[in-house]
Amino acid sequence: MKLKNYVLLYCLTCLGLVVSVIGYDWYEGSNFDSQWHSLGLYSLVVSFVLTSLYFAYNLWQQKRQAAEIKLLNDKLVDLLKEDAYHHVILKPSDPYYQLAQSINAIQSKQKRFVKNFVRQQRGYFSLLEYLTSGVMLIDQDNLIYTANHALNEIFAKDLNQKQSPYYYVLDNFELIQLIEQAIRTKSDQAKEIKHHQDGEKLLAVQVRYIPLSKHHFLIMCLVDDVTQKRKLEQQQKDFLANLSHELKTPITSISGFSETLLAGALSDQTVSRQFVEIIHRESKELAELIEDGLSLARIEDDRALNLTSFNLYAFCNASLDSFTKLIFEKQIKVKLEVESDLEIVCDQRKLRHILNNLLQNGLRYNRPEGKLTIKANLLANEWQLIVSDTGIGIEKAEQKRIFERFYRVDQSRTKAIAGTGLGLAVVKEYVELLSGDISLVSKPNEGSTFTVTLPRFELKKTLNLSQNLGNKDSK
């Protein structure tokens, strides 16, 4: 019963009591039985008292229920707060006990849900940050939801400007067009675009349309910087094209002169000997070209360092022994200015490729009776291997290109000198694998000096590093 009903009942009871008292005064001394009248009066008084008590009890009950309802309501409000996890405790006899238990159960479930959501959200954002691809999420209102660190690096600016329209933040028109096309067509888009930021970059972009509901969607932009990849692919194509061109010349010579010999030139000893010598020379150049090409191809699969300690003087002498015939033919004076007890730590096989190619160039392009000098210098944290010759030298304009694959200096001066144009490219690749640097000082008709600067590796630390890497792999 509502409070106003109790108040009305209480008022009527009071009114009945007042009427009884007044009626008693009006009819005093009449024929009515005073005993029954007194009984009625007592009944009214008792009724008044009981009604007052009942009214007071119900008033107390309603206040208590109002307090409990307020408590439950406050608890429902607290569910919206992340740090409010106190349960409502009521007695089992309380009429709101089951409601309180249901609210407590909802709170526990919400707590688990929020905990899982926060964990998944952290994992999601951590994954985004560690991705090497640039990622941006855009909502249906064209506002940026998030952008990872990789995307900031690609565009060299902060793109994680949440709640900002993407077309105000992005400064690449082609990318904006792709996003608009994905939203308009509700389909995925992919394209390689150019971006001008500290030079031209080539970006592979994928724009994914992600429907969430009938009227809600997300746009995910995946961006990869493929500048170096495309440049490498182009270098590989150029390498194959140049290699095919270079192979064609000796193969054509070998094929042509062998056909001439088979056609009857074998009977003329002078001509046949001359042709055989040409075939022999071209076959050597062909073998050398193939070997240099294979060396370049193997470099990518040979990046691991096998460091050992060895005597540099003996190492250089062993390399010079391989060129004894060429040294004798051109009467080159070789000077080895390396201390006989100098020990270094390096990858012998890679250093052998470097030194052999430098010696070969220093001898081939040297003048007859010229000089070839090999030096070694120890620095604080590095050491240098220096190879100098007194050959034809290199023009300043060409010095920047000599490490390019298949590049050869002025053909008018080197036409008669055998070479593939790959030797110095091999040298540069191996020097970089050893974390070193190579430089050139040259003057035409005076000679060239190549200086290879390499770090002074420490064998013990390197071995420990290798062991640690091996342990990680085994795990």
Side-chain angles (χ1 to χ4, degrees):
M1 188 178 292
K2 294 183 179 181
L3 180 62
K4 63 181 182 179
N5 294 334
Y6 288 121
V7 173
L8 179 61
L9 178 61
Y10 183 74
C11 292
L12 290 174
T13 304
C14 293
L15 180 61
L17 181 61
V18 171
V19 170
S20 298
V21 172
I22 294 173
Y24 176 77
D25 292 337
W26 283 354
Y27 293 101
E28 187 177 3
S30 65
N31 296 327
F32 288 103
D33 190 345
S34 58
Q35 184 177 0
W36 285 103
H37 185 274
S38 300
L39 182 61
L41 183 61
Y42 294 151
S43 298
L44 287 173
V45 172
V46 171
S47 175
F48 172 74
V49 172
L50 291 176
T51 303
S52 299
L53 292 174
Y54 187 70
F55 172 75
Y57 172 76
N58 277 278
L59 185 62
W60 174 78
Q61 277 285 87
Q62 290 210 0
K63 287 183 178 180
R64 185 176 68 84
Q65 290 177 358
E68 290 178 349
I69 290 174
K70 184 178 182 303
L71 178 65
L72 294 173
N73 182 70
D74 291 342
K75 187 64 217 174
L76 290 173
V77 173
D78 288 343
L79 288 178
L80 301 175
K81 303 176 183 178
E82 294 182 1
D83 56 346
Y85 289 116
H86 303 292
H87 282 182
V88 179
I89 306 299
L90 297 178
K91 294 180 179 180
S93 59
D94 193 284
Y96 296 107
Y97 176 77
Q98 291 299 329
L99 178 60
Q101 291 297 98
S102 299
I103 293 176
N104 292 337
I106 291 174
Q107 184 190 45
S108 298
K109 188 171 184 179
Q110 184 204 38
K111 183 179 179 180
R112 291 192 300 270
F113 174 79
V114 170
K115 185 177 180 180
N116 292 334
F117 173 76
V118 171
R119 184 173 65 250
Q120 291 176 1
Q121 189 180 48
R122 287 175 180 172
Y124 166 73
F125 283 113
S126 298
L127 176 63
L128 282 183
E129 285 305 312
Y130 282 100
L131 281 177
T132 56
S133 299
V135 180
M136 174 183 281
L137 287 176
I138 303 168
D139 62 21
Q140 70 273 1
D141 297 320
N142 295 330
L143 302 178
I144 295 174
Y145 179 73
T146 188
N148 69 347
H149 183 68
L151 192 70
N152 296 339
E153 288 188 342
I154 291 173
F155 286 93
K157 63 181 296 188
D158 183 15
L159 298 176
N160 195 19
Q161 302 180 29
K162 297 181 180 180
Q163 301 304 311
S164 298
Y166 71 88
Y167 41 78
Y168 288 158
V169 178
L170 293 173
D171 56 359
N172 189 289
F173 181 70
E174 288 186 272
L175 179 54
I176 294 174
Q177 275 190 320
L178 274 183
I179 296 172
E180 291 177 347
Q181 189 173 354
I183 295 173
R184 186 174 61 254
T185 62
K186 297 183 179 180
S187 61
D188 298 341
Q189 306 294 322
K191 186 180 180 182
E192 286 193 358
I193 65 175
K194 293 181 180 179
H195 182 69
H196 298 278
Q197 181 77 38
D198 298 330
E200 186 177 273
K201 291 182 179 179
L202 191 62
L203 307 178
V205 179
Q206 297 182 58
V207 181
R208 303 289 188 185
Y209 180 84
I210 307 173
L212 301 178
S213 64
K214 186 176 181 180
H215 301 291
H216 295 83
F217 62 89
L218 283 177
I219 294 294
M220 177 183 285
C221 298
L222 303 172
V223 182
D224 289 291
D225 187 349
V226 294
T227 308
Q228 294 300 323
K229 182 180 179 181
R230 294 294 178 262
K231 187 180 293 184
L232 180 60
E233 289 175 354
Q234 187 60 44
Q235 288 177 350
Q236 291 174 340
K237 290 178 182 178
D238 294 341
F239 173 73
L240 290 174
N242 290 330
L243 183 61
S244 300
H245 177 73
E246 294 293 332
L247 287 172
K248 186 177 180 181
T249 301
I251 290 175
T252 301
S253 297
I254 292 171
S255 177
F257 284 110
S258 61
E259 287 178 3
T260 304
L261 289 172
L262 291 173
L266 282 171
S267 58
D268 188 335
Q269 291 187 358
T270 304
V271 173
S272 62
R273 181 176 180 81
Q274 181 182 359
F275 284 4
V276 169
E277 287 177 352
I278 293 173
I279 291 173
H280 178 64
R281 183 175 66 249
E282 294 293 338
S283 63
K284 286 180 64 178
E285 289 188 11
L286 181 61
E288 184 181 332
L289 182 62
I290 293 172
E291 181 59 31
D292 285 344
L294 290 174
S295 296
L296 282 172
R298 284 193 295 261
I299 286 175
E300 287 301 317
D301 299 325
D302 188 29
R303 306 193 73 84
L305 298 184
N306 181 23
L307 301 178
T308 57
S309 177
F310 56 92
N311 183 277
L312 185 61
Y313 182 85
F315 179 83
C316 293
N317 261 328
S319 290
L320 285 170
D321 289 341
S322 303
F323 299 97
T324 302
K325 182 180 178 182
L326 185 57
I327 294 171
F328 179 77
E329 288 176 352
K330 300 191 71 171
Q331 295 296 304
I332 303 295
K333 296 178 182 179
V334 178
K335 191 174 183 181
L336 182 57
E337 297 181 359
V338 178
E339 294 181 9
S340 59
D341 60 345
L342 179 58
E343 295 285 328
I344 63 166
V345 175
C346 194
D347 189 315
Q348 287 196 57
R349 198 168 61 80
K350 292 179 176 60
L351 187 60
R352 180 78 65 192
H353 278 288
I354 294 170
L355 181 57
N356 283 355
N357 278 288
L358 291 179
L359 291 177
Q360 188 177 65
N361 274 9
L363 293 171
R364 277 183 175 176
Y365 296 98
N366 214 328
R367 57 182 172 80
E369 298 182 359
K371 295 180 181 180
L372 181 71
T373 306
I374 305 171
K375 296 180 182 180
N377 293 330
L378 288 180
L379 306 177
N381 298 312
E382 300 170 321
W383 69 280
Q384 293 179 326
L385 180 65
I386 305 168
V387 179
S388 303
D389 64 65
T390 56
I392 62 174
I394 303 170
E395 295 284 350
K396 192 172 184 63
E398 295 182 302
Q399 290 180 17
K400 294 182 179 179
R401 299 193 59 194
I402 60 170
F403 295 105
E404 296 179 12
R405 298 177 181 185
F406 295 104
Y407 183 80
R408 298 188 67 187
V409 297
D410 187 2
Q411 296 291 319
S412 62
R413 297 192 299 152
T414 61
K415 188 175 181 180
I417 303 174
T420 64
L422 291 175
L424 290 177
V426 172
V427 169
K428 186 173 185 296
E429 294 281 350
Y430 277 117
V431 168
E432 289 178 351
L433 280 181
L434 292 171
S435 302
D437 183 59
I438 184 169
S439 60
L440 166 67
V441 176
S442 182
K443 290 184 179 180
N445 302 318
E446 292 186 17
S448 304
T449 298
F450 289 90
T451 302
V452 176
T453 304
L454 298 173
R456 294 180 67 175
F457 296 104
E458 295 182 20
L459 190 58
K460 291 183 179 179
K461 290 184 178 181
T462 306
L463 288 175
N464 290 337
L465 177 61
S466 300
Q467 291 172 359
N468 291 336
L469 291 174
N471 293 336
K472 288 181 180 180
D473 293 338
S474 63
K475 290 180 183 179

